[in-house]
Amino acid sequence: MSNGSEAAEVLERIGAERALGMYTKLVEIRRFEERIHFLFLEGNVPGTVHQYIGQEACAVGVCSALSEGDVIASTHRPHGHAIARGLPMRSIAAELYGRATGTARGKGGSMHLGDLSKGMLPAIATVGDNIPIVAGVALAFRLRHEPRVAVSFFGDGAANEGAFHEGLNCAAVYNLPAVFVCENNLYGASTSIQKVVKVENIADRAASYGMRSDIGDGMDVFDVYERASNAIGAARGNGGPTLLELKTFRYSGHSRRDPNNYMAKEEKSYWKARDPIALCEAALSKCGFLKPKLAAEIQASVAKEVDEAIEFALQSPFPEEQELYDGLYTSIEVPR
Amino acid sequence: MRMSIAEGLRFAIDGCMAEDQSVFCLGEDIGVPGGFGGAFTVTLGLESKYRDRIIDTPISEAAIFGMACGAAAMGMRPIADVQYGDFLLCAASQIVNQIAKLRYMSGGAIGLPLVMRAPVGVTGRGAQHSQNLESFFLSCPGIKIVAPSTAYDAVGLMRAAIRDPDPVLVFEHKLLYGSKGARTEKGTFDASSEIPDEYFEVPIGRAQLLRRGDHVTLVGSLLMSHFNMLAAEELAGEGIQCDVVDLRSIWPLDIELLHESVKKTGRIVIVEEGPKQGGVGAEIASGIAELIPDYLLAPIVRVAAPNTPAPFSPPLERAYVPRPSAIARRVRDLMSAS
């Protein structure tokens, strides 16, 4: 949002309840990720984790603009999308811990969070691969004449995969009800986007597919919400797909213990000065939607939710060894 | 009615599409009016009947299989195809990382009722249009694999594949299609069958005994099943009787039927058109050697292509593919050594 009066208008349109809901989701993701980071460093969480701190406004802004039957697909960095789409935090935590109560009964883990009954495919952790899959989800909606929209989240790195090219081209050719959200956090693992992309914006590539594009401030949840609403509305109204690029930044390393030493100090502090939660708080306070007391209450209730989610995960049983063979085929046992 | 495999596949797809609105086809050149109905005429004419459900795609295999995956996850029943099996590898991540695994990594919550069709066979086109990729996908848990060697099986297995709740990969053989007109293949083999009027399916995971004999089990699929029958015919004249088994399904593999046969014959010759290296034959051999070694009267024999890509030059190609005469010779050698 470029100026104060425009921002006030946007918030007026969104309304206090929805705006506070978005704020709460931002806080949920941040607190959850901070706790997971701590627990992971303690050696408490199995496997690996790719964390979402810094990018919260992207998932929350987009998912807040979705309707119930819409479907999203995420990446190897899906915790934020899962929380934003409304998957229960306790099921997410349990999945991270490989427990039988997790979103995939412990078969997926951090990188495959999802629950289709809540509008989220299992996260697709091979970079770019969810893009044609989301085109297929949208194709199913089109063939059945359902007013539903499919959303693909991916990073800047995915824009260099062949699947990006094939998926976007097909979505454009068939005018599918889909939105392709590129969260450009400026790094593919440790590699700066400047080393691997020659165009200024990933969104510029949409023109080569004859696709609409837009660029949003990935640190400003309300800007993301507004732009996502437009793209989703267009898709639902048979107006075809959009490539929506969100400029954002990941505070954490790529994964596990990566201390992201490849990012300049100035770069980190530039982005942290535009922290999505701080920006949201400031906007909400300015228009009177958020008072310090309410902010404190939300923070406290989220902290409790995170506590309970981790506790639920830790108390949950691991899957039985026999379950190794479950859930591969629908109609037959796994041949041994 | 007598049908070729191409006609049988079309017949089965047409029937399923008429009955079930969620069935649709996705592929390159499959429904262009005035075109050829896919590389081997399988979908010819269906576009005029199902305008919205025969979807021509760009040359984008990853998108074809990715879209099939996404649509299937939403409960549609896509039939995705490639012009040559070799191009499955252009979509390898979608097939191997997504389609084969999505249900499992969702904890069994998602079903993927989709069909993948791929022509295979060494047919005068050199290394990149000739691979038999059955063994490659055999190493991917999560996909069922079928291989019809007759039109009857093509109809029955295609119906079963479309109605199956899991991903099914259908390998079809270029020399068995019986495609007509400009898409006729040189060296085509007659695989036509009488197709009954009554509805039938061929169950996935079951092999078929094509011919009975007590001396040796001859097993293969697709074109090699026809070659095995020719070899068995030749050998019968010399007093060697073969049990000829057509796999029909590469996965699940009907190891029980093979066990039954080998328990009777005590000898097995496994024939495949692709390279011996990591082949389907290795999986069958281990399924025999591990589980019923005591029934073997002689070592297991594998007849397969050399461990090289397919060559182009016609004499080299003839030497590359196991021929009926070579299969018969290996059987003869086996019989005289045991």
Side-chain angles (χ1 to χ4, degrees):
Chain A
M1 280 173 278
S2 53
N3 62 57
S5 65
E6 206 182 302
E9 260 173 53
V10 167
L11 276 172
E12 199 64 35
R13 223 176 13 246
I14 292 171
E17 193 183 328
R18 189 186 290 266
L20 286 169
M22 290 189 226
Y23 171 70
T24 307
K25 283 284 176 210
L26 294 177
V27 176
E28 281 178 18
I29 296 171
R30 177 68 57 91
R31 295 289 101 82
F32 179 80
E33 289 290 62
E34 284 171 349
R35 181 71 60 82
I36 292 299
H37 184 65
F38 179 78
L39 292 166
F40 186 85
L41 292 181
E42 277 194 330
N44 198 323
V45 183
T48 186
V49 285
H50 301 80
Q51 298 211 281
Y52 200 66
I53 297 179
Q55 300 179 215
E56 295 92 341
C58 302
V60 173
V62 173
C63 289
S64 301
L66 292 172
S67 299
E68 197 183 320
D70 297 340
V71 171
I72 69 164
S74 178
T75 68
H76 56 285
R77 196 180 304 286
H79 306 175
H81 303 121
I83 292 173
R85 192 67 185 117
L87 275 63
M89 196 187 282
R90 51 168 48 196
S91 317
I92 296 170
E95 190 61 33
L96 263 56
Y97 276 92
R99 306 300 167 115
T101 53
T103 55
R105 303 192 56 78
K107 291 267 177 52
S110 163
M111 285 198 275
H112 303 307
L113 290 176
D115 181 348
L116 194 52
S117 71
K118 297 201 161 48
M120 180 177 181
L121 281 168
I124 303 297
T126 44
V127 173
D129 269 0
N130 85 29
I131 296 172
I133 293 175
V134 161
V137 170
L139 179 63
F141 297 161
R142 159 65 43 77
L143 286 167
R144 290 198 298 244
H145 308 289
E146 294 171 345
R148 300 163 73 184
V149 175
V151 174
S152 160
F153 288 98
F154 54 91
D156 42 285
N160 292 335
E161 287 280 3
F164 170 90
H165 171 68
E166 295 193 19
L168 261 66
N169 185 53
C170 282
V173 164
Y174 303 128
N175 201 42
L176 296 176
V179 180
F180 300 95
V181 179
C182 177
E183 298 180 32
N184 181 354
N185 67 14
L186 307 178
Y187 288 87
S190 66
T191 300
S192 162
I193 188 170
Q194 289 178 355
K195 284 189 182 168
V196 291
V197 172
K198 284 283 275 184
V199 285
E200 192 182 342
N201 306 297
I202 301 294
D204 297 346
R205 293 184 175 175
S208 66
Y209 306 114
M211 187 186 288
R212 183 189 317 105
S213 69
D214 194 8
I215 298 174
D217 179 352
M219 309 307 268
D220 180 344
V221 71
F222 302 121
D223 186 56
V224 173
Y225 173 79
E226 285 279 295
R227 292 176 195 280
S229 297
N230 290 340
I232 291 163
R236 209 183 304 284
N238 213 12
T242 303
L243 172 59
L244 173 58
E245 179 180 2
L246 304 174
K247 307 283 190 186
T248 186
F249 195 70
R250 117 169 102 69
Y251 293 2
S252 63
H254 166 67
S255 66
R256 296 184 289 170
R257 291 171 188 79
D258 170 14
N260 58 17
N261 289 334
Y262 43 83
M263 295 171 173
K265 252 195 192 129
E266 303 74 46
E267 187 181 30
K268 289 185 198 175
S269 48
Y270 167 81
W271 286 96
K272 285 184 180 175
R274 308 198 64 253
D275 181 78
I277 295 180
L279 281 186
C280 180
E281 262 174 3
L284 291 174
S285 305
K286 197 173 170 196
C287 76
F289 287 171
L290 186 68
K291 300 272 190 298
K293 184 165 170 279
L294 180 57
E297 279 168 20
I298 290 172
Q299 294 279 359
S301 115
V302 169
K304 192 164 163 252
E305 190 186 357
V306 173
D307 285 344
E308 284 171 0
I310 301 298
E311 189 56 26
F312 172 80
L314 291 171
Q315 296 301 322
S316 291
F318 283 104
E320 300 286 333
E321 210 172 296
Q322 180 55 35
E323 288 190 40
L324 185 58
Y325 296 95
D326 294 346
L328 184 61
Y329 302 102
T330 310
S331 56
I332 57 165
E333 299 283 316
V334 173
R336 308 227 187 155
Chain B
M1 199 167 81
R2 193 130 200 113
M3 289 185 196
S4 66
I5 285 188
E7 290 163 341
L9 291 169
R10 189 184 312 138
F11 177 66
I13 293 170
D14 188 4
C16 291
M17 288 185 76
E19 194 173 280
D20 183 349
Q21 295 285 319
S22 65
V23 180
F24 71 100
C25 297
L26 198 59
E28 295 156 7
D29 303 300
I30 62 172
V32 180
F36 32 81
F40 295 94
T41 71
V42 169
T43 52
L44 190 67
L46 294 182
E47 77 281 353
S48 59
K49 233 171 143 178
Y50 309 104
R51 216 164 42 88
D52 301 335
R53 289 191 282 145
I54 300 287
I55 302 176
D56 280 306
T57 66
I59 304 173
S60 299
E61 286 81 10
I64 294 170
F65 289 87
M67 288 194 290
C69 175
M74 293 299 114
M76 297 296 286
R77 291 181 178 270
I79 303 171
D81 81 86
V82 284
Q83 303 212 335
Y84 292 88
D86 312 66
F87 309 160
L88 289 171
L89 299 180
C90 303
S93 187
Q94 291 297 336
I95 298 169
V96 179
N97 286 325
Q98 315 306 338
I99 290 170
K101 296 179 175 59
L102 205 59
R103 177 173 167 78
Y104 191 74
M105 69 194 213
S106 74
I110 289 177
L112 285 182
L114 69 87
V115 175
M116 302 173 273
R117 295 184 38 235
V120 295
V122 184
T123 53
R125 292 173 169 92
Q128 296 176 344
H129 290 66
S130 294
Q131 289 172 86
N132 286 78
L133 288 164
E134 294 93 315
S135 61
F136 183 93
F137 290 96
L138 179 59
S139 65
C140 305
I143 299 173
K144 298 172 185 173
I145 306 170
V146 300
S149 61
T150 65
Y152 181 91
D153 287 3
V155 172
L157 285 170
M158 181 52 69
R159 284 172 175 165
I162 294 171
R163 293 178 163 222
D164 198 276
D166 296 315
V168 182
L169 177 51
V170 184
F171 283 116
E172 304 159 5
H173 201 286
K174 282 165 260 176
L175 295 182
L176 299 180
Y177 276 122
S179 309
K180 298 196 174 78
R183 309 304 291 184
T184 304
E185 280 286 289
K186 196 164 172 265
T188 284
F189 231 79
D190 181 15
S192 65
S193 319
E194 218 33 68
I195 304 300
D197 291 335
E198 316 80 66
Y199 183 87
F200 68 97
E201 288 181 13
V202 169
I204 296 172
R206 292 273 165 273
Q208 188 186 26
L209 194 58
L210 297 178
R211 180 188 174 113
R212 262 171 218 290
D214 292 337
H215 299 134
V216 59
T217 302
L218 254 180
V219 57
S221 64
L222 293 171
L223 184 64
M224 293 304 107
S225 284
H226 293 267
F227 283 9
N228 284 345
M229 287 297 278
L230 288 175
E233 189 66 36
E234 187 183 325
L235 290 160
E238 304 162 22
I240 300 172
Q241 302 302 332
C242 301
D243 238 18
V244 179
V245 177
D246 178 36
L247 287 176
R248 279 181 160 175
S249 288
I250 310 289
W251 193 259
L253 204 53
D254 189 355
I255 202 72
E256 286 84 8
L257 189 135
L258 288 168
H259 283 176
E260 236 173 79
S261 176
V262 171
K263 283 177 182 175
K264 180 178 70 176
T265 62
R267 302 176 185 89
I268 183 166
V269 175
I270 307 165
V271 184
E272 70 184 299
E273 190 178 359
K276 192 172 185 182
Q277 182 180 347
V280 175
E283 186 67 26
I284 296 172
S286 83
I288 304 290
E290 272 185 349
L291 299 169
I292 55 163
D294 298 344
Y295 286 91
L296 286 172
L297 302 172
I300 294 167
V301 172
R302 289 182 62 199
V303 183
N307 295 333
T308 68
F312 169 70
S313 172
L316 291 182
E317 189 183 278
R318 273 195 296 279
Y320 183 79
V321 179
R323 316 306 302 182
S325 56
I327 297 165
R329 192 177 64 241
R330 296 293 297 275
V331 172
R332 244 176 251 123
D333 291 350
L334 174 69
M335 292 307 295
S336 60
S338 55

